[in-house]
Amino acid sequence: MNNDSIAVTVVSGFLGAGKTTLLNRIAQQPQHGRMAVIVNDFGELNIDAAIIAEVTDAVFSLQNGCICCTVQEDLLAQLVSLSQLRPRLDRIVIECSGVSDPQRIVQTLGYPQLKAHLHLDTVITLVDASGYAALEGEFARLSRAQVACADLVLLNKADLVSAAELQSLRATIGARTRVISTVQAQIPDALLLGERSPRNGFTPVPAPHHELFESWTWQGTQALPAKALRDWLGQLPKDVFRLKGLVHLQGNDQPFWLQHVGNRSQFTLASGEHAQNCAQLVFIARRGSGLRAQLEMQLQEMQGL
Ligand SMILES: Nc1nc2c(ncn2[C@@H]2O[C@H](COP(=O)(O)OP(=O)(O)OP(=O)(O)O)[C@@H](O)[C@H]2O)c(=O)[nH]1
């Protein structure tokens, strides 16, 4: 590796584990030098990129596909172009979508076009401590593959589980990787941006990933009633893994970012310019869930309340 080589941090983890929360923190800290962030969202709207763009300009969006498959060529082109920027970047952080397998990103970084300019610094995988144990079948396998590829695992949302549950999760994840419990992905910078630890010859097995999910976007035209929306969110089927986007709530001039993971929802005021009274919600659900028509109709009806 030459001295001019740009360090790359890969941030991975299942849907809603806290990747954007971590990215937002990193992006706001000037000590990380000249940094660019590449954000991949599986849906056709890149909500994460829009959220991170509220704190930094250096955001590049790869959307409507899985970063390790359908948009892998775009990733390669984006990395080549970023590596040619002058003055040179110090670091590139790649946020994988929650449905992707970071191992393939690691492979992409080894391509000859990139090897001379970039080096992999750390793969950080966030785990939602309140949801990891409940994942089943292929979804659990994907989540384990994301963990297996990590140099550092953040056992995030530690505030939502007991000390005993945290202990048991640590045991499940195993001793091979460094595991740190976090709330809002808060850990010391030195750990975030450290050098890559040796992998002991371990090669993770590729897991099925984006093909397990379907995504769609609902565009509303009117403000929604807050109470009805909260009630509706509280009853979303568990096949909806993730819901996020922008909503206008009746009686409020400013829109909100809505984040829904598991059975928890969060509304935060959105800054910046956003279209008036228009909702944009991205759903990510189990492929073949058959939920789209029903959920869209419910939202449509809610607009008229
Ligand atoms: N209670 C709790 N909530 C958290 C914590 N970290 C993040 N969240 C919330 O979890 C939700 C999802 O966080 P994100 O950072 O958007 O997750 P993500 O991994 O980027 O999500 P995707 O990119 O959609 O896969 C948001 O509402 C966050 O505010 C935490 O430690 N505790």
Side-chain angles (χ1 to χ4, degrees):
M1 184 201 324
N2 65 55
N3 282 340
D4 285 341
S5 174
I6 303 167
V8 179
T9 303
V10 176
V11 176
S12 152
F14 197 72
L15 292 162
K19 300 176 292 294
T20 308
T21 305
L22 176 66
L23 257 283
N24 254 332
R25 274 191 345 96
I26 301 177
Q28 289 180 69
Q29 292 166 353
Q31 67 270 31
H32 299 322
R34 252 174 75 75
M35 188 174 86
V37 178
I38 299 178
V39 184
N40 172 224
D41 243 350
F42 182 56
E44 61 186 358
L45 291 177
N46 202 330
I47 301 293
D48 290 356
I51 291 172
I52 295 169
E54 290 187 351
V55 296
T56 175
D57 291 336
V59 181
F60 301 87
S61 168
L62 295 175
Q63 69 197 64
N64 212 8
C66 171
I67 196 169
C68 59
C69 305
T70 42
V71 296
Q72 193 180 23
E73 275 186 27
D74 297 348
L75 172 65
L76 190 59
Q78 185 73 77
L79 287 169
V80 168
S81 135
L82 287 177
S83 69
Q84 287 161 358
L85 283 181
R86 295 294 177 268
R88 198 180 64 82
L89 288 171
D90 298 305
R91 180 172 299 273
I92 298 172
V93 182
I94 304 174
E95 180 188 346
C96 309
S97 82
V99 309
S100 48
D101 180 352
Q103 192 191 346
R104 302 194 194 201
I105 319 278
V106 172
Q107 284 162 359
T108 306
L109 294 173
Y111 284 10
Q113 304 94 304
L114 297 176
K115 247 179 142 168
H117 307 290
L118 314 170
H119 67 277
L120 178 61
D121 187 18
T122 320
V123 180
I124 302 171
T125 295
L126 287 105
V127 166
D128 178 344
S130 67
Y132 186 76
L135 291 173
E136 294 170 343
E138 299 288 36
F139 301 103
R141 217 174 120 206
L142 167 58
S143 193
R144 282 200 302 270
Q146 292 170 336
V147 166
C149 195
D151 302 300
L152 172 65
V153 174
L154 303 190
L155 211 42
N156 194 38
K157 306 196 184 179
D159 54 320
L160 300 179
V161 296
S162 67
E165 284 170 300
L166 269 184
Q167 194 58 37
S168 138
L169 276 168
R170 276 175 179 274
T172 311
I173 287 168
R176 194 194 59 82
T177 315
R178 180 154 36 168
V179 182
I180 296 171
S181 308
T182 54
V183 175
Q184 301 292 342
Q186 297 222 28
I187 61 164
D189 288 347
L191 282 178
L192 279 179
L193 308 174
E195 280 303 317
R196 190 166 163 74
S197 50
R199 312 302 309 275
N200 300 327
F202 176 80
T203 312
V205 181
H209 50 294
H210 68 263
E211 60 273 30
L212 304 174
F213 302 90
E214 61 186 13
S215 173
W216 69 89
T217 305
W218 179 77
Q219 307 259 5
T221 50
Q222 297 171 43
L224 293 165
K227 170 150 186 347
L229 179 60
R230 281 188 191 281
D231 291 347
W232 178 81
L233 288 166
Q235 289 168 19
L236 272 181
K238 82 174 185 15
D239 276 355
V240 178
F241 284 95
R242 189 78 167 98
L243 174 57
K244 58 185 170 180
L246 202 66
V247 284
H248 286 261
L249 298 178
Q250 291 172 5
N252 289 277
D253 291 337
Q254 270 199 261
F256 291 82
W257 291 114
L258 163 62
Q259 299 277 357
H260 181 85
V261 188
N263 56 4
R264 265 175 300 279
S265 304
Q266 192 185 20
F267 292 84
T268 46
L269 263 186
S271 57
E273 292 295 308
H274 299 287
Q276 277 301 308
N277 288 338
C278 163
Q280 294 187 315
L281 291 178
V282 175
F283 289 78
I284 302 178
R286 182 182 59 75
R287 183 171 290 266
S289 69
L291 289 167
R292 181 175 184 169
Q294 170 198 336
L295 296 176
E296 289 196 339
M297 195 181 68
Q298 291 166 350
L299 283 169
Q300 226 41 58
E301 284 171 359
M302 207 186 299
Q303 285 194 134
L305 293 179

